Amino acid sequence: MLDKAVIEVCMGLSHPTMTVCDLGCSSGENTLFFVSKVIETICCHRRKIGASTNIELQVFLNDLPGNDFNHVFLSLERFKESIAVGHERETLPPFYIAGLPSSYYKRLLPDKSVHFFHSSYALHWCSQLHEGLERNQNEGNIYIAENTPPYVVKLYQEQFQKDFLLFVKLRCNELVFGGQMLLIFVGRKYEDAYSGGLNHLFGLLAQSIQFLVNEGLVEKEKLDSFNMPNYGPSVDEVKTVIKQSEMFRINKIELLEHNWDPYDYSKSDYVDDPIQSGINVAKCLRAVTEPLLGSHFGKCVLDALFDKYAHNVAKYLEREKAKHSIIVLSLKKG
Amino acid sequence: MLDKAVIEVCMGLSHPTMTVCDLGCSSGENTLFFVSKVIETICCHRRKIGASTNIELQVFLNDLPGNDFNHVFLSLERFKESIAVGHERETLPPFYIAGLPSSYYKRLLPDKSVHFFHSSYALHWCSQLHEGLERNQNEGNIYIAENTPPYVVKLYQEQFQKDFLLFVKLRCNELVFGGQMLLIFVGRKYEDAYSGGLNHLFGLLAQSIQFLVNEGLVEKEKLDSFNMPNYGPSVDEVKTVIKQSEMFRINKIELLEHNWDPYDYSKSDYVDDPIQSGINVAKCLRAVTEPLLGSHFGKCVLDALFDKYAHNVAKYLEREKAKHSIIVLSLKKG
């Protein structure tokens, strides 16, 4: 889907600079993967149509100002070398990489200046927690759980709708006519907001925090006042917002299911090594939630928390091979 | 001169986004000063002509990938607030700030995509040291000194010409027709390359390193193999390169003289407090040369080096009020 979008955008270019932006780029080993894919696609497209087009690529890597951009910037030289090595026999499109430090719930770039937005595993983060959620109304839970009151579910849904609509409107302003977006984020398979992999993942995390409360390591008030600023919408919820915005045409919307353990590629119905999978899941969740959990519960409890969490996940996976849902959404402006 | 360039560029805009780039932005308290000046100028221009133009500003902050961009990015929120406070009664032009990590002796941005380049106190840094200079041919010195052989002076001059011509060509590719550059860098008042404030500043630094050699703290070989990758050209040398490039029209070129001590604003012929001024000069020079000197001579000698240097500068300033020359160069493409 990335290939298709990049080629379509390429072909529609009236001037030779293609501007792309990766939203929520992070600073890990996958940060520059998107850039390499775009370059690869342009090269491949040029080989196919035999054209010696002089496309230049302007890339913006976006994340919050607290992201470790220094780390990303220091890796660019090596990245450029590795790209060059992979394309020794052809001229690469010149590409220029900039860092764009800002929340994507704000305007990032000038009007009609971007051809393609991409975002991978970022958009399920809300811009903030709904005010109502801060008032201990989801006792013992940190996300939508079985005993979460329906009005709390509604607060989550409203926050998602508000955020996603804002996001869509902002990006629409920034895109050229015909510009595209490819958005990949955690979603939900069924309409029922009480269902889904995210609910179970965070349910087990809440249990692990409850364990620390019982052990006297965390105050109960700390658990009760915490809710994840995440929401996994259903495909219909996403479609509704896109329709409401009246700005984009949906090229494609897909729901994929992934095993909780990202290293478990098997399609079987059971988990081979629940203990190892528990550890893997805990590591992944820790990587993305550590700053948030650390600042609320204190960094010193995180080791104990994620040890317990790995254990809880392993026990869960012994019973059932859990999956979470990913929404892949391709949009075109106009 | 900044005001004039920004206004001219503004008036020539065929579309409402003005792209500006600050080359060698660094990460200190002055880093965002350029951005605030550009915003201020646009606001002031709008007030004067009474227009409600919808200019948007795309700003690129450029420096080497090792620059502390994280620090700059974390200060942006506060910067935006302070700009808003200063313009409560008017609508600010929307501005979007990105970091651009690369040497400016390489291409930074797409063809014809920039309206205005700015660079303050950066361009006297060479892209590298001329190969010949690495072969101990300027014994006991670290820049052009009285006993520097003329062929070493020529190596410095050739490096400057090569670098500056490359810089001018690269930026010309990136500028729109009619785009401008404002470049401020250390230069030299007289044609004689053996003269000038930079020669004395680095001469005193070489003496300070020699002192550490005598004390057994630094090996003589270390001193002999070190040369500053800096060059302060004369106005004529600069003009020659611009003419050779055949790409830019010189709007204005000026030579200003500044006291060595940046906190000494007096125009008198003597230095009031040579000891304090020595300390101030040493601090400034340390701030800009520390990474370079630290990696060559070892970080552990820097305190001793700059103590001695402050002392040497003070002694020098007792005899004469030294100045260094700054070249202010305004260029227009086409």
Side-chain angles (χ1 to χ4, degrees):
Chain A
M1 235 186 281
L2 179 75
D3 302 18
K4 197 166 168 287
V6 170
I7 290 169
E8 278 187 28
V9 165
C10 253
M11 290 174 67
L13 285 180
S14 58
H15 60 102
T17 301
M18 175 155 129
T19 301
V20 303
C21 180
D22 192 25
L23 304 161
C25 65
S26 186
S27 62
E29 46 190 77
N30 291 327
T31 295
L32 295 163
F33 183 69
F34 162 69
V35 186
S36 69
K37 282 297 288 176
V38 173
I39 293 170
E40 181 59 52
T41 303
I42 294 175
C43 286
C44 189
H45 174 62
R46 289 202 303 198
R47 278 195 299 268
K48 266 187 205 156
I49 61 164
S52 59
T53 47
N54 54 349
I55 286 178
E56 290 185 290
L57 192 61
Q58 173 71 64
V59 181
F60 289 95
L61 298 175
N62 157 261
D63 211 311
L64 290 170
N67 184 48
D68 191 353
F69 281 98
N70 284 353
H71 180 77
V72 178
F73 290 174
L74 284 171
S75 71
L76 285 179
E77 212 45 56
R78 201 158 30 85
F79 172 75
K80 285 174 190 168
E81 281 163 20
S82 73
I83 289 278
V85 166
H87 295 81
E88 277 167 342
R89 292 192 190 169
E90 62 193 327
T91 315
L92 284 171
F95 58 97
Y96 310 103
I97 299 179
L100 195 55
S102 173
S103 161
Y104 46 63
Y105 294 115
K106 293 182 184 171
R107 273 294 296 271
L108 298 171
L109 288 157
D111 270 349
K112 302 181 190 65
S113 66
V114 183
H115 300 92
F116 182 55
F117 280 111
H118 173 263
S119 176
S120 182
Y121 283 82
L123 266 174
H124 43 274
W125 289 95
C126 313
S127 68
Q128 59 182 354
L129 209 58
H130 194 293
E131 280 176 23
L133 278 171
E134 286 167 3
R135 286 185 244 110
N136 295 10
Q137 293 173 330
N138 194 17
E139 208 184 318
N141 301 313
I142 62 168
Y143 186 64
I144 300 165
E146 275 177 20
N147 59 346
T148 293
Y151 68 85
V152 168
V153 176
K154 204 157 169 263
L155 293 181
Y156 263 111
Q157 290 180 315
E158 281 173 8
Q159 187 64 44
F160 165 75
Q161 285 156 16
K162 203 176 133 192
D163 279 345
F164 195 53
L165 188 61
L166 174 64
F167 173 85
V168 165
K169 283 182 176 172
L170 293 170
R171 298 298 84 79
C172 183
N173 287 331
E174 291 161 347
L175 277 172
V176 299
F177 188 80
Q180 302 203 27
M181 300 212 275
L182 177 61
L183 310 174
I184 299 157
F185 50 94
V186 178
R188 202 174 68 234
K189 193 172 180 180
Y190 303 106
E191 280 313 303
D192 176 13
Y194 287 92
S195 75
L198 214 53
N199 306 55
H200 295 307
L201 268 173
F202 290 140
L204 294 171
L205 190 62
Q207 280 177 28
S208 312
I209 302 169
Q210 182 62 53
F211 172 79
L212 298 189
V213 172
N214 298 346
E215 296 280 302
L217 293 167
V218 163
E219 290 165 36
K220 183 165 186 312
E221 157 63 24
K222 281 271 172 194
L223 168 56
D224 290 343
S225 62
F226 185 78
N227 284 292
M228 289 301 299
N230 269 163
Y231 182 72
S234 71
V235 167
D236 271 356
E237 282 178 296
V238 172
K239 281 183 180 170
T240 303
V241 175
I242 303 294
K243 203 173 166 189
Q244 196 187 338
S245 78
E246 297 179 342
M247 289 169 171
F248 284 93
R249 204 182 71 206
I250 296 179
N251 288 332
K252 202 165 188 177
I253 184 162
E254 269 188 306
L255 189 116
L256 306 177
E257 296 209 281
H258 287 301
N259 294 329
W260 275 9
D261 177 0
Y263 301 104
D264 176 4
Y265 302 107
S266 94
K267 292 188 175 174
S268 73
D269 283 340
Y270 61 93
V271 175
D272 281 334
D273 185 347
I275 291 176
Q276 186 56 49
S277 282
I279 293 169
N280 295 345
V281 172
K283 265 191 192 160
C284 285
L285 204 78
R286 181 166 184 166
V288 290
T289 60
E290 177 150 355
L292 194 67
L293 295 173
S295 73
H296 187 86
F297 295 104
K299 284 178 190 167
C300 53
V301 302
L302 293 184
D303 283 344
L305 174 58
F306 281 99
D307 280 351
K308 185 68 186 167
Y309 184 60
H311 174 78
N312 286 347
V313 172
K315 276 199 343 198
Y316 190 92
L317 292 178
E318 274 173 19
R319 295 199 311 272
E320 122 179 44
K321 175 133 178 183
K323 292 174 188 287
H324 59 272
S325 303
I326 305 298
I327 291 178
V328 181
L329 174 62
S330 166
L331 296 171
K332 187 167 184 170
K333 174 177 167 179
Chain B
M1 233 187 279
L2 179 75
D3 301 17
K4 197 166 169 286
V6 170
I7 291 169
E8 279 186 29
V9 165
C10 254
M11 290 174 67
L13 284 181
S14 57
H15 59 102
T17 301
M18 174 154 127
T19 301
V20 302
C21 180
D22 192 25
L23 304 161
C25 66
S26 187
S27 61
E29 47 189 77
N30 291 326
T31 295
L32 295 164
F33 183 68
F34 162 69
V35 186
S36 67
K37 281 297 288 177
V38 172
I39 294 169
E40 181 58 52
T41 302
I42 294 174
C43 286
C44 187
H45 174 62
R46 288 201 304 199
R47 278 195 298 268
K48 265 186 205 158
I49 63 166
S52 61
T53 48
N54 54 348
I55 286 179
E56 291 186 289
L57 193 59
Q58 172 70 64
V59 181
F60 289 95
L61 299 175
N62 157 260
D63 211 312
L64 291 170
N67 185 47
D68 191 354
F69 281 98
N70 283 354
H71 179 76
V72 178
F73 291 173
L74 284 170
S75 70
L76 285 177
E77 213 44 55
R78 200 158 30 85
F79 172 75
K80 285 175 191 168
E81 282 164 19
S82 72
I83 288 278
V85 166
H87 296 82
E88 276 167 342
R89 293 193 188 169
E90 61 193 327
T91 316
L92 284 172
F95 58 97
Y96 311 102
I97 299 179
L100 194 55
S102 172
S103 161
Y104 46 64
Y105 293 115
K106 293 181 184 171
R107 274 293 297 272
L108 297 171
L109 288 157
D111 272 349
K112 302 181 190 65
S113 66
V114 184
H115 299 92
F116 183 53
F117 280 110
H118 173 263
S119 176
S120 183
Y121 284 82
L123 267 175
H124 44 273
W125 289 95
C126 313
S127 67
Q128 58 182 354
L129 209 58
H130 194 294
E131 282 175 22
L133 279 171
E134 285 168 3
R135 286 185 244 110
N136 295 10
Q137 292 172 332
N138 194 17
E139 207 184 317
N141 301 313
I142 62 168
Y143 186 64
I144 300 165
E146 275 177 21
N147 59 346
T148 292
Y151 68 85
V152 168
V153 175
K154 204 157 168 264
L155 294 181
Y156 263 110
Q157 289 179 314
E158 282 173 7
Q159 187 64 45
F160 164 75
Q161 286 157 17
K162 203 176 133 193
D163 280 344
F164 195 53
L165 189 59
L166 173 65
F167 173 85
V168 166
K169 284 182 175 173
L170 293 170
R171 299 297 86 76
C172 183
N173 287 330
E174 291 161 348
L175 277 171
V176 299
F177 189 80
Q180 301 203 26
M181 300 213 275
L182 178 60
L183 310 174
I184 299 158
F185 50 95
V186 178
R188 203 173 68 233
K189 193 173 180 181
Y190 303 107
E191 282 312 306
D192 177 14
Y194 287 91
S195 75
L198 214 52
N199 307 56
H200 294 308
L201 268 173
F202 290 140
L204 294 170
L205 191 60
Q207 280 177 28
S208 311
I209 301 169
Q210 182 62 54
F211 171 79
L212 299 189
V213 172
N214 299 344
E215 297 278 303
L217 293 168
V218 164
E219 291 166 35
K220 185 167 186 308
E221 157 63 21
K222 280 272 174 195
L223 168 55
D224 291 343
S225 63
F226 185 78
N227 285 291
M228 289 302 296
N230 269 162
Y231 182 73
S234 71
V235 167
D236 271 357
E237 282 178 296
V238 172
K239 281 183 180 171
T240 303
V241 174
I242 303 296
K243 203 173 166 189
Q244 196 187 339
S245 78
E246 298 180 340
M247 290 169 169
F248 284 94
R249 203 182 70 207
I250 296 179
N251 288 332
K252 202 165 188 178
I253 183 162
E254 268 189 308
L255 189 116
L256 306 176
E257 295 209 285
H258 287 301
N259 294 330
W260 276 7
D261 178 359
Y263 302 104
D264 175 3
Y265 302 105
S266 94
K267 292 189 174 172
S268 74
D269 282 340
Y270 61 92
V271 175
D272 280 335
D273 185 347
I275 291 176
Q276 187 55 50
S277 282
I279 293 168
N280 296 346
V281 173
K283 265 192 192 157
C284 286
L285 205 76
R286 181 166 184 165
V288 289
T289 60
E290 178 151 351
L292 194 68
L293 296 174
S295 72
H296 187 87
F297 295 105
K299 284 178 189 167
C300 54
V301 303
L302 293 183
D303 284 344
L305 175 59
F306 281 99
D307 281 351
K308 185 66 186 171
Y309 184 61
H311 174 77
N312 286 346
V313 172
K315 277 199 343 196
Y316 190 93
L317 293 178
E318 275 173 17
R319 295 199 312 270
E320 120 181 47
K321 175 132 178 184
K323 291 173 189 287
H324 59 272
S325 302
I326 305 298
I327 291 178
V328 181
L329 174 62
S330 167
L331 296 172
K332 186 166 183 171
K333 175 177 167 180

